[in-house]
Amino acid sequence: MKEEKIKLASGAEDKFVELFSEVFGPEKTSNLLIQYGINDIYGKSRYIDFAVLTEKEKIAIEIDGEGIHEPGKVSHEKYYDDLLKQNSIIFQDWKLYRWTDGQLKRFPDLVKDQMMTFLGDAIEESIEDYLPQPKGAVLELREHQEEALESLRRMRSEGDTIALLYHATGTGKTVTAVEDARSIGGKTLFIGHTQELIEQAKGTFEKLWSEATCGVYMGEVKEKEAQVICGSVQSVSRNIEEFKEEEFDYIIIDEAHHGAADSYKKILSHFKPRFTLGLSATPERADGEDVLELFKNVAHKIDLETAVKQGILAEVRCIRVKTNVDISDVRIRGIKYDSRDLESKLFVPERNNLLVDTYINYVKGKRTVVFCASVHNAEQVAEAFKEKGIKAEAVSGGLKKSKRDRILKDYEEGRITVLCACDLLNEGWDSSRTEVLFMARPTMSKTIYMQQLGRGTRKAEGKDYLLVFDFIDNSTLFNAPLSTHRMFNMEQYVPGALVLGFGDRKFKEADFLRKGEKPVELIDLPVDIMDLEHINLFNWQEEAKNMISQIEFVRRVDVQAETIGRYIKEGKIVADLEVPCASTAFKYFKEETVLKYAEKFGWDIIDDSNICEKFIAYVEKMTMSASYKPVLLKAMLAEADSKGRVLVEDLLDFFIDFYEDRKARGLVAEKKKSLYNDEVIDRRKAKANIFSNPFKRFEDMRFMEKCRDIEYVQFNKKIWKKLTVEEKVRLDGVCEEKLKGYYGE
C-alpha cells in the first residue's frame, strides 16, 4: 500500500464540543445531533454541523473556518452555495448560530458565555410534551406482525389515538404500518426525514396497497391529491396550511426518535387523524432519552434480541480481533471521541491491513460491510482491499446519489463484495445478503452501534448467521468503545459463539462449550474453543446518568463554585465518578454524597422552596473584594421589569453611570486597578467585566440567569415571584451599606 500523509479532520467541531462540555457537562453532549441531515429548498441533501431539537425550537450550529463565507476567499460557487444552505436553514424555521475556528481558539471564554446564553434553555428540554398522551401500556410480543396489528386494532377500539411500534430493524415495521393504514382505508400521510426513507416507503405502499394512489410531498414535488402521501417532515410542516385539519385519517411517523421537534409539533397539533403511529427501531434517541417515553403508548415491542430468539432475524455470532492500536489517550469530547485524536490513531496502514487480512483469511467472498471512523478512513480501507484484489468500494453521504445508488446495487447483486462506510449505512439501508460486519469504527454511542448491527440482521436463503468482527483497540475503562458483548451485557466471550440465538440454541451451545466440546456450527470458524475472555462491562455513561455533575453540585448548595473546586483539589471532597476529558476530568456525585458533604461543611441545600430566602441571606452576608456585586444588584433592582428582566444595555448604562458619577464628585471609582478608573470607560470591556465577575457569582448560585432573548438577563423566577416591594427596598439599602463600608465613607 502506498504511504500517504495522514489527513486529520478539522478540529473546530471538536473544540466546540470541548467548550460545550465545559459549559454543560459531557453528559449533555448527547443533546447535540452531529451532521444532522436536512434538505434545502430545492430538495438537495445538506448537513448541519450540530443540531439541538426541542419541543419549542430547532437550533442549527455551524462551525466554520475563518473566511469560509467571504467571497474573496472562496469561489463564487462555494460562496453562493453556502448562502443557499444558510438561507434554507432559516427558511425552515431553524435558529442559526455560527462560530469560527478562530473564535473557539482565541476567545473560548466568550464563546462559552454565548453558548450558555444561546443554548442554555434548549439543551434541558425534550419533545415529548406536545405529543398526545392517551392511555396504554407496553404489550410484550407474542406473534410478530399479526400480533402487532391485533394490538393496534384493540387499542383503537379502546379509544387510543396514538401509539408506537418499537420493532428492531429487519422485522418489517413499515409493512406492519402500511397494513394497519390499509385496514382503515382512508387518506394516509407517511412522514420521513430523508429522501431514501420516503422513497422506500412509497415503494412499500405501492406494493402492498396497490389500489391506492401514492404520491410524494418533498422538495419541489407536491403530489397533494394522492390517497397516500409520503412526505418529508420539512416540506409538510413548512406548508402545513395547505392541508385541512381532517385531511388525513392515518398518520405514520417514521424513525420517531429522529423527529425535528418543532416540525413534528406543527404536524401533530395541526392534523386530527383517526390514528397516529410512530415507528422506531432504536431504543434510545440521540439525546439519550428513551424513545418509548415519547409516545407513552407502545402498541407492540420487539427488540433485536427477541426478534432473533423468535427466528425473525438472523442469529449473531461474534469474533473479537485485538489490534495493536492504542486509543487509551484519545480524548473524550463529551461522550464522543475527539475525531482528530481518533483519526491520528486509526489512519495507519497496519490497522487497515489487519482488516483486509482478517477478511481474506476468514470470510473471503462473503458480502461484508466495514464500518469506518470517517469518510477518509473508509476510502483508505477500500483502497487497501482493492490492492489485494478484493472488489470493494467506499460509500458515504458525500457521494452523488446516482453513484451511491450504483455502488449499493452492485453490492446487492454481488459485483462488489465489501462496502466501506462511515455514517451513510447507519439508517435507511440494509441488505439481507450481508453476512459479515466489521465493527472497525470505535464508538461510545449505543444508537450508532445498534444501527450498524441492524444493517446485517435480515435473514436470507443460505445465510446461517450474521458474523460480527469487533476490532478491539487498547483503551481505558473510561474511553472504551462499545462492542457486541458490552451491548448485550455478556461478560464471557467465546470466539465465534452465539451472542444472539434462536430459541434456546445459545444456551445449548454454551453447555457444549462448558463441557469442552465444539458445536458443529463452530467447525468452520477460525477459533479456539478454549480461548475464553472476561469482558469488563463498566460504562461511565450509564453510571453518570443518575448522578449530579459538579456544575449542579454548586447550584445545589449555598457556597460558590471556587470553594467546591478548591475542596475537590485538596481532597476534602471526593467524587463518586470521574470522567477524563482532554486536560481535565468531570466529576459526578451521588445524591447522598452531596447531602453528606453539605452536612459535613455546614452548607444548606438550595431548592425552589428556599431559594428566595437564601438569596436574601447571601446579599446580607455578601463579602466584597471589589465594588461590583452590590452595583450589579442595585442595577438589577432598579432596572427590572415586571418579570424581573433587565436589558443588558440598561445594566451596562447603570454601571458606567455609577462609576462616572463617583469620578465627577471627586471620589475614587474603584479602589483597585480597574477599567472604571479610566478617563473613558470602554463599554465592551465593561460588559465583559460584568458577566465574568459579579454576574457569574450570582449565576453560579442560580440567583440570576441569562434569558432566552439574549439582550436580557433576569432574576431567578422563583426569587422574583417571592420578593416583596419592601424586601427589594431593603436589599437596595443593604447594597448602599456594603458600598459605604467598602469605600470607607
Side-chain angles (χ1 to χ4, degrees):
M1 183 185 297
K2 292 180 180 179
E3 291 290 337
E4 183 174 335
K5 187 177 180 180
I6 293 173
K7 296 181 182 177
L8 295 179
S10 168
E13 289 84 358
D14 294 320
K15 184 64 176 177
F16 173 83
V17 176
E18 177 185 346
L19 297 180
F20 183 97
S21 298
E22 293 176 10
V23 174
F24 301 113
E27 72 280 2
K28 294 298 184 182
T29 59
S30 58
N31 293 42
L32 292 174
L33 305 181
I34 300 176
Q35 289 297 300
Y36 188 85
I38 64 168
N39 291 329
D40 64 23
I41 60 173
Y42 299 113
K44 181 181 177 182
S45 294
R46 302 291 190 142
Y47 293 91
I48 298 170
D49 289 340
F50 299 97
V52 177
L53 306 177
T54 76
E55 64 160 311
K56 296 179 180 178
E57 59 189 341
K58 301 178 297 184
I59 297 175
I61 301 164
E62 291 283 273
I63 309 299
D64 300 314
E66 301 252 337
I68 195 169
H69 293 295
E70 296 182 31
K73 297 185 179 181
V74 296
S75 69
H76 283 87
E77 290 76 11
K78 170 64 175 171
Y79 177 66
Y80 298 149
D81 190 64
D82 286 338
L83 284 180
L84 172 61
K85 174 186 173 182
Q86 175 179 303
N87 292 338
S88 295
I89 290 171
I90 296 171
F91 180 70
Q92 296 174 32
D93 300 321
W94 289 76
K95 283 187 175 179
L96 175 62
Y97 298 120
R98 287 170 46 195
W99 285 279
T100 69
D101 54 358
Q103 286 177 289
L104 300 179
K105 294 174 183 176
R106 293 193 292 272
F107 309 109
D109 291 335
L110 181 60
V111 172
K112 288 193 289 185
D113 182 70
Q114 292 170 0
M115 283 185 192
M116 178 63 76
T117 301
F118 299 152
L119 309 176
D121 292 337
I123 64 169
E124 300 296 335
E125 299 181 11
S126 69
I127 70 172
E128 64 178 65
D129 293 338
Y130 65 80
L131 292 166
Q133 302 292 320
K135 59 185 179 179
V138 173
L139 302 178
E140 292 299 327
L141 181 68
R142 295 184 179 90
E143 296 291 335
H144 184 41
Q145 290 172 312
E146 291 183 3
E147 179 65 21
L149 291 168
E150 176 58 33
S151 175
L152 288 166
R153 287 191 289 268
R154 186 185 310 117
M155 290 173 61
R156 282 193 290 272
S157 70
E158 295 172 355
D160 289 309
T161 59
I162 187 170
L164 175 77
L165 282 185
Y166 167 23
H167 283 187
T169 299
T171 57
K173 60 183 180 295
T174 304
V175 170
T176 304
V178 172
E179 286 294 313
D180 196 50
R182 189 168 71 91
S183 70
I184 290 180
K187 191 167 184 178
T188 299
L189 174 64
F190 177 96
I191 293 291
H193 73 288
T194 69
Q195 183 176 347
E196 288 80 3
L197 290 173
I198 292 167
E199 290 174 349
Q200 289 173 13
K202 183 174 183 289
T204 303
F205 273 105
E206 290 174 339
K207 180 179 179 181
L208 300 178
W209 195 356
S210 58
E211 61 271 27
T213 57
C214 188
V216 169
Y217 199 92
M218 176 175 57
E220 295 300 302
V221 181
K222 302 289 193 302
E223 297 171 338
K224 183 174 175 292
E225 304 305 318
Q227 183 176 353
V228 175
I229 296 177
C230 297
S232 70
V233 173
Q234 299 89 347
S235 292
V236 173
S237 62
R238 191 168 62 241
N239 298 283
I240 198 75
E241 299 304 325
E242 297 294 319
F243 298 93
K244 300 174 183 176
E245 289 184 356
E246 299 180 352
E247 182 108 13
F248 298 102
D249 299 284
Y250 198 108
I251 294 179
I252 301 168
I253 301 174
D254 196 23
E255 302 294 350
H257 57 286
H258 276 312
D262 194 52
S263 300
Y264 276 109
K265 181 179 179 181
K266 277 187 178 182
I267 293 169
L268 290 171
S269 62
H270 178 80
F271 292 119
K272 294 179 172 56
R274 290 172 57 188
F275 200 74
T276 300
L277 181 64
L279 307 177
S280 180
T282 307
E284 292 184 353
R285 294 193 352 233
D287 60 6
E289 295 293 327
D290 190 337
V291 70
L292 303 184
E293 292 297 316
L294 290 177
F295 282 75
K296 307 294 182 185
N297 196 20
V298 182
H300 204 266
K301 173 184 176 181
I302 177 169
D303 57 22
L304 180 61
E305 187 169 4
T306 305
V308 173
K309 282 184 177 180
Q310 297 203 357
I312 299 167
L313 297 178
E315 293 181 312
V316 179
R317 296 184 179 277
C318 179
I319 294 178
R320 293 164 65 86
V321 180
K322 297 292 185 65
T323 81
N324 61 1
V325 173
D326 187 357
I327 63 170
S328 59
D329 60 348
V330 169
R331 291 169 292 180
I332 301 172
R333 304 300 189 188
I335 57 172
K336 300 174 179 67
Y337 293 116
D338 180 297
S339 64
R340 287 172 60 92
D341 285 3
L342 190 61
E343 290 187 49
S344 69
K345 299 290 186 181
L346 301 185
F347 280 19
V348 292
E350 291 79 9
R351 193 176 190 271
N352 296 345
N353 290 337
L354 176 62
L355 300 178
V356 177
D357 292 343
T358 300
Y359 177 84
I360 292 174
N361 293 335
Y362 302 136
V363 291
K364 186 175 182 180
K366 294 182 181 294
R367 260 169 275 193
T368 299
V369 174
V370 182
F371 288 104
C372 304
S374 68
V375 173
H376 180 63
N377 186 210
E379 292 170 348
Q380 288 266 20
V381 173
E383 186 61 30
F385 273 100
K386 289 177 182 178
E387 290 182 1
K388 293 294 182 72
I390 308 300
K391 296 177 180 177
E393 289 290 346
V395 61
S396 72
L399 292 177
K400 289 184 178 179
K401 186 176 183 301
S402 57
K403 184 176 181 180
R404 185 171 70 238
D405 290 345
R406 177 184 60 75
I407 292 173
L408 295 179
K409 183 179 180 182
D410 286 346
Y411 175 80
E412 191 71 22
E413 296 177 357
R415 290 183 290 274
I416 293 172
T417 54
V418 176
L419 282 180
C420 301
C422 51
D423 59 351
L424 174 66
L425 302 182
N426 288 352
E427 187 175 86
W429 178 90
D430 56 67
S431 171
S432 61
R433 300 182 183 277
T434 297
E435 297 180 76
V436 181
L437 296 179
F438 276 21
M439 300 299 201
R441 169 195 184 175
T443 180
M444 299 171 71
S445 167
K446 288 184 177 180
T447 299
I448 290 175
Y449 194 92
M450 287 295 286
Q451 286 174 345
Q452 292 178 172
L453 191 59
R455 297 316 103 203
T457 51
R458 287 187 188 271
K459 298 180 76 174
E461 186 176 351
K463 177 179 174 179
D464 297 323
Y465 49 80
L466 171 70
L467 182 57
V468 177
F469 283 83
D470 274 322
F471 288 84
I472 309 300
D473 304 303
N474 296 323
S475 64
T476 67
L477 281 178
F478 289 101
N479 75 347
L482 289 166
S483 64
T484 305
H485 285 75
R486 295 189 74 197
M487 283 298 303
F488 297 103
N489 293 308
M490 295 180 62
E491 294 187 1
Q492 290 292 332
Y493 162 64
V494 178
L498 283 171
V499 174
L500 302 176
F502 173 66
D504 61 354
R505 279 164 50 84
K506 175 180 172 182
F507 302 102
K508 288 182 178 179
E509 180 175 287
D511 190 50
F512 272 107
L513 293 167
R514 279 192 295 272
K515 296 175 182 177
E517 301 175 19
K518 192 170 187 176
V520 66
E521 289 88 349
L522 293 182
I523 288 176
D524 295 328
L525 293 180
V527 297
D528 177 350
I529 65 168
M530 300 306 294
D531 183 12
L532 301 177
E533 180 188 345
H534 179 77
I535 309 297
N536 192 316
L537 301 179
F538 174 76
N539 187 328
W540 76 263
Q541 299 174 48
E542 292 297 321
E543 291 286 316
K545 184 179 292 184
N546 297 315
M547 289 187 178
I548 296 167
S549 68
Q550 184 175 337
I551 297 171
E552 185 60 25
F553 192 160
V554 172
R555 295 171 177 170
R556 292 281 191 96
V557 294
D558 61 344
V559 67
Q560 294 181 356
E562 288 80 2
T563 300
I564 291 179
R566 187 176 74 253
Y567 278 24
I568 290 174
K569 186 176 181 180
E570 294 172 353
K572 296 178 180 178
I573 293 178
V574 179
D576 295 300
L577 175 66
E578 290 194 19
V579 179
C581 182
S583 60
T584 185
F586 289 94
K587 314 291 194 300
Y588 292 90
F589 304 84
K590 297 177 181 176
E591 182 79 31
E592 55 267 31
T593 302
V594 173
L595 296 175
K596 178 186 74 175
Y597 284 122
E599 181 179 1
K600 179 178 179 179
F601 297 115
W603 300 333
D604 288 339
I605 298 294
I606 301 175
D607 56 33
D608 288 347
S609 67
N610 65 8
I611 193 169
C612 185
E613 290 75 15
K614 294 297 180 185
F615 167 66
I616 293 173
Y618 174 81
V619 175
E620 290 175 339
K621 298 177 182 178
M622 185 166 53
T623 58
M624 298 167 55
S625 60
S627 58
Y628 307 142
K629 281 190 285 188
V631 176
L632 171 65
L633 185 53
K634 285 178 65 66
M636 292 290 291
L637 291 168
E639 303 294 339
D641 63 14
S642 60
K643 296 181 179 179
R645 301 185 308 170
V646 177
L647 275 168
V648 172
E649 290 303 311
D650 289 345
L651 193 67
L652 190 54
D653 287 341
F654 188 100
F655 257 75
I656 292 175
D657 289 347
F658 175 85
Y659 292 108
E660 290 288 10
D661 176 67
R662 288 190 62 83
K663 288 188 289 186
R665 290 187 288 126
L667 301 173
V668 62
E670 169 55 48
K671 287 168 57 177
K672 64 180 186 179
K673 184 177 180 180
S674 170
L675 64 96
Y676 298 109
N677 292 321
D678 295 344
E679 184 176 349
V680 177
I681 298 174
D682 187 304
R683 289 182 68 88
R684 182 180 61 82
K685 291 181 180 179
K687 182 177 179 180
N689 168 258
I690 292 170
F691 282 106
S692 66
N693 192 346
F695 189 85
K696 186 178 184 301
R697 300 288 185 182
F698 287 100
E699 187 179 40
D700 282 346
M701 306 290 287
R702 291 196 301 140
F703 296 153
M704 296 178 188
E705 59 194 20
K706 300 182 180 74
C707 297
R708 184 187 297 272
D709 298 324
I710 62 174
E711 66 268 25
Y712 286 92
V713 293
Q714 65 185 14
F715 282 100
N716 179 299
K717 293 177 183 178
K718 298 292 182 181
I719 293 175
W720 188 250
K721 185 177 181 179
K722 289 186 177 182
L723 277 179
T724 65
V725 174
E726 293 75 17
E727 286 171 330
K728 294 172 187 175
V729 172
R730 181 161 62 86
L731 288 175
D732 185 76
V734 170
C735 291
E736 286 288 348
E737 292 300 318
K738 294 284 185 182
L739 288 169
K740 288 180 181 178
Y742 174 74
Y743 288 114
E745 298 171 355

